[in-house]
Amino acid sequence: MLKVKDSICLISILIASIALILAIICIVSLNGNSSCDVLCTAVSVSNTDSTADTVDLVVPANSRITKIYASMQEIDNAPLDGGLIDIRTEGGTGDTIFSHRFGKDPGIGSGGYETTLVQPLYVGTEDVKVTFSSYRGETIELASFLELTVVYCPAAEYSQNPCGPGL
């Protein structure tokens, strides 16, 4: 007959084994067991300008944006409140699909924003324009330096995607 100590030990091992099997099943199902999970070779585009209030760049149709970086430096004696990132369809004249206004620390003369999108942003079937502007109050104002970088997965990386566009 098993001793109580041995029984507790065997039950603990059984529970731990079941937990391990469930954890493995969960990890496999979340990490690549789906035909819709697609990795890509990313492309990066960047635009920098000195003494400007806006910089922009174009991301091609059917791409998926994964990262956005923006930084600014204010002009001496002309403080800025922050920056505005805006992504519009139809080459910059259509609907807004992403917009983010961010503030700048008033104690320093520079500011920045970065994001990594957990779910890549599908831009649609037409090119989009990504615009970064510096502002004070409600007015677009000159900065001594603006820089914008967008990292995206190009459409060609998804041409064989069984999940269809945008997924």
Side-chain angles (χ1 to χ4, degrees), residues 108-162:
I108 59 175
S110 62
Y113 171 79
E114 74 175 69
T115 187
T116 298
L117 301 170
V118 175
Q119 298 175 327
L121 176 63
Y122 175 64
V123 302
T125 58
E126 297 184 23
D127 293 353
V128 296
K129 184 186 280 184
V130 183
T131 303
F132 172 47
S133 304
S134 52
Y135 69 89
R136 182 172 56 226
E138 293 300 316
T139 306
I140 301 298
E141 292 287 336
L142 284 176
S144 69
F145 182 82
L146 292 176
E147 184 169 60
L148 173 66
T149 300
V150 175
V151 180
Y152 65 92
C153 297
E157 293 284 334
Y158 288 90
S159 62
Q160 301 302 315
N161 185 359

Side-chain angles (χ1 to χ4, degrees), residues 42-56:
V43 174
S44 177
V45 290
S46 187
N47 190 359
T48 303
D49 203 352
S50 298
T51 315
D53 61 8
T54 301
V55 293
D56 55 41

Side-chain angles (χ1 to χ4, degrees), residues 17-163:
S17 298
I18 291 170
L20 178 62
I21 291 168
L22 290 174
I24 291 171
I25 291 169
C26 186
I27 289 169
V28 168
S29 69
L30 291 175
N31 290 324
N33 198 26
S34 168
S35 61
C36 294
D37 291 341
V38 180
L39 298 176
C40 78
T41 303
V43 174
S44 177
V45 290
S46 187
N47 190 359
T48 303
D49 203 352
S50 298
T51 315
D53 61 8
T54 301
V55 293
D56 55 41
L57 48 87
V58 173
V59 174
N62 296 311
S63 298
R64 284 124 180 103
I65 296 173
T66 60
K67 298 176 185 289
I68 302 170
Y69 304 96
S71 59
M72 67 185 129
Q73 178 69 44
E74 64 188 20
I75 297 173
D76 293 338
N77 302 320
L80 295 171
D81 292 333
L84 171 64
I85 299 170
D86 196 45
I87 302 175
R88 291 182 176 260
T89 60
E90 299 172 34
T93 61
D95 296 330
T96 300
I97 62 170
F98 179 93
S99 187
H100 181 73
R101 186 177 292 244
F102 62 95
K104 179 191 73 61
D105 182 339
I108 59 175
S110 62
Y113 171 79
E114 74 175 69
T115 187
T116 298
L117 301 170
V118 175
Q119 298 175 327
L121 176 63
Y122 175 64
V123 302
T125 58
E126 297 184 23
D127 293 353
V128 296
K129 184 186 280 184
V130 183
T131 303
F132 172 47
S133 304
S134 52
Y135 69 89
R136 182 172 56 226
E138 293 300 316
T139 306
I140 301 298
E141 292 287 336
L142 284 176
S144 69
F145 182 82
L146 292 176
E147 184 169 60
L148 173 66
T149 300
V150 175
V151 180
Y152 65 92
C153 297
E157 293 284 334
Y158 288 90
S159 62
Q160 301 302 315
N161 185 359
C163 301

